[in-house]
Amino acid sequence: MRLGTVEGLDVEAARAREVVAGALADQPASSRTASSFRRHSCSRVSRGNGEELIGSAKYFDRWLLVELPLPWPPGMGTAVWETPRVPEPLRTALRTATRRTADIGLEMKTMGAAPDPEYSRDGYTRVMRLDPIPGPTAGLTRCEYVVPDDDAPALIDALFGEDPAPLRRFADARVDLAVRDLIVCTHASVDACCGTFGYPLFQAQRERHGSGGQVRVWRVSSFGGHRFAPSPIDLPEGRFWGNVEVERMAEIVDRAAPAKQALDMYRGWACLRIPAEQVLERELLDRHGWEWIGRELDLAPIDGSDVVEVVAGTERYEATVEHCSSVPVLIGCDGTAGQVERYSMTALRPMIPVPS
């Protein structure tokens, strides 16, 4: 797998900033400036409006990360593998995996991960599939393989086929490591904020936390939420973060401060489908601190009401989360507008066990 270069990403980010800024300002190319980008940056607009991050984590039934060389294709609607730089057999395998997932009513997010000089091997492709753990919500399972480039299509076919037998040939290529993967969107040609703010965060995280075996830091293609750039995801936990400043990285990576100090950067837990549930889970993280990480969570409505029974580890609660408002937002630097729903936690009460 050919490694992407820092210079290539810098050029991509600069080009994206110029094009997006000029388009938003309706300026001719000759007059497009960095100041235009600052005025229309969706991340700056979101921060200036004091937009809440919680509830913006995206749920996926399956995740697939594949090492793909930079630059990645532009456009939010373009699949990351749809570029001539990706060999046709690999493109076909990725299309097939996506179709097979959709055929059984599931949604998969496929992301390109830029090969890394330390983690990656020239001539080999890394493939990671992550799935929610069955039963009570408890994070994601990860299976990871590193195979010769020519074998990557067959591996992906095996990972998403109904017959487990073809996967056995790749048993020796499986990688089992107890590591955290911090992925940061730097996909500047989809949204300029991800290159402008995401790439510097990736650089700093990679330098400070990405060596030594406990944490790997990857720059990846778009996964949504440009207006919260820079935005990392902590895998296999599946927790989304946003507006992460370099000087605050340690609050998330090393958990060097109480969890409640980092909650203004918390987008939510991707293992929960509904934004209101993510609001509830943030309250549990606030109450329990970092010790909450790794616990199971089970939610069930009570008698069709707005009250939810919460089983968090060995503890039980009754919770009420109410809809607050609908808020207009700027979705991306291309000027796309949208609307998000806001919720608030109004009650979280311990349930008293009934005497037997």
Side-chain angles (χ1 to χ4, degrees), residues 120-191:
S120 307
R121 296 172 61 187
D122 193 29
Y124 285 74
T125 298
R126 183 183 314 272
V127 177
M128 283 189 274
R129 173 174 164 172
L130 298 101
D131 299 85
I133 297 172
T137 304
L140 304 168
T141 61
R142 173 181 54 203
C143 62
E144 177 179 346
Y145 295 82
V146 178
V147 296
D149 291 342
D150 290 342
D151 287 344
L155 169 64
I156 291 171
D157 282 339
L159 275 171
F160 292 92
E162 295 182 2
D163 183 0
L167 197 56
R168 294 182 192 131
R169 81 173 254 214
F170 299 104
D172 291 342
R174 179 151 182 171
V175 178
D176 291 307
L177 295 173
V179 297
R180 292 166 68 189
D181 284 306
L182 295 177
I183 63 174
V184 184
C185 178
T186 64
H187 200 164
S189 58
V190 166
D191 191 271

Side-chain angles (χ1 to χ4, degrees), residues 275-295:
E277 295 177 345
Q278 295 179 21
V279 171
L280 188 160
E281 193 270 336
R282 179 185 62 175
E283 179 66 23
L284 293 168
L285 180 57
D286 187 13
R287 290 192 178 204
H288 293 279
W290 296 120
E291 293 182 0
W292 168 246
I293 303 297
R295 293 196 192 183

Side-chain angles (χ1 to χ4, degrees), residues 2-22:
R2 181 172 56 85
L3 300 184
T5 65
V6 171
E7 292 79 9
L9 187 61
D10 286 342
V11 170
E12 182 187 13
R15 183 175 65 250
R17 289 195 296 273
E18 179 181 351
V19 171
V20 171

Side-chain angles (χ1 to χ4, degrees), residues 17-283:
R17 289 195 296 273
E18 179 181 351
V19 171
V20 171
L24 284 173
D26 194 24
Q27 298 171 340
S30 60
S31 63
R32 294 171 187 173
T33 64
S35 62
S36 299
F37 166 72
R38 286 194 293 271
R39 287 198 303 271
H40 299 286
S41 157
C42 61
S43 178
R44 292 181 187 274
V45 170
S46 175
R47 294 191 197 205
N49 289 340
E51 184 179 347
E52 285 194 357
L53 280 67
I54 192 61
S56 65
K58 175 66 174 174
Y59 176 90
F60 298 105
D61 300 290
R62 292 174 173 174
W63 303 57
L64 181 63
L65 273 74
V66 181
E67 285 183 319
L68 297 175
L70 293 164
W72 299 312
M76 192 64 188
T78 304
V80 69
W81 62 83
E82 294 294 357
T83 166
R85 288 181 298 279
V86 176
E88 180 57 35
L90 182 55
R91 279 187 273 166
T92 299
L94 290 167
R95 291 190 200 110
T96 301
T98 301
R99 177 181 52 77
R100 287 173 176 169
T101 300
D103 285 347
I104 58 174
L106 301 179
E107 182 180 4
M108 179 167 69
K109 182 60 180 178
T110 300
M111 288 176 277
D116 182 274
E118 179 180 343
Y119 313 144
S120 307
R121 296 172 61 187
D122 193 29
Y124 285 74
T125 298
R126 183 183 314 272
V127 177
M128 283 189 274
R129 173 174 164 172
L130 298 101
D131 299 85
I133 297 172
T137 304
L140 304 168
T141 61
R142 173 181 54 203
C143 62
E144 177 179 346
Y145 295 82
V146 178
V147 296
D149 291 342
D150 290 342
D151 287 344
L155 169 64
I156 291 171
D157 282 339
L159 275 171
F160 292 92
E162 295 182 2
D163 183 0
L167 197 56
R168 294 182 192 131
R169 81 173 254 214
F170 299 104
D172 291 342
R174 179 151 182 171
V175 178
D176 291 307
L177 295 173
V179 297
R180 292 166 68 189
D181 284 306
L182 295 177
I183 63 174
V184 184
C185 178
T186 64
H187 200 164
S189 58
V190 166
D191 191 271
C193 283
C194 297
T196 303
F197 304 122
Y199 185 54
L201 181 73
F202 159 75
Q203 281 186 306
Q205 282 193 334
R206 180 64 183 83
E207 179 181 346
R208 300 180 192 180
H209 302 281
S211 294
Q214 299 302 310
V215 177
R216 297 181 299 193
V217 181
W218 304 89
R219 62 184 191 260
V220 301
S221 60
S222 177
F223 50 74
H226 323 302
R227 65 190 190 279
F228 301 127
S231 181
I233 307 176
D234 197 340
L235 297 173
E237 286 178 18
R239 286 185 164 81
F240 281 59
W241 302 88
N243 294 345
V244 179
E245 299 172 356
V246 170
E247 57 269 22
R248 299 189 65 190
M249 286 190 311
E251 295 178 34
I252 298 170
V253 183
D254 298 329
R255 294 165 185 163
K260 66 171 59 265
Q261 285 189 207
L263 293 182
D264 63 311
M265 300 183 286
Y266 189 38
R267 292 182 57 187
W269 198 12
C271 298
L272 299 170
R273 295 175 182 270
I274 303 171
E277 295 177 345
Q278 295 179 21
V279 171
L280 188 160
E281 193 270 336
R282 179 185 62 175
E283 179 66 23

Side-chain angles (χ1 to χ4, degrees), residues 51-52 54-56 227-228 275 323-331 337-343:
E51 184 179 347
E52 285 194 357
I54 192 61
S56 65
R227 65 190 190 279
F228 301 127
H323 181 263
C324 296
S325 60
S326 300
V327 181
V329 296
L330 181 65
I331 298 295
Q339 181 173 286
V340 295
E341 307 305 315
R342 292 298 177 210
Y343 301 84

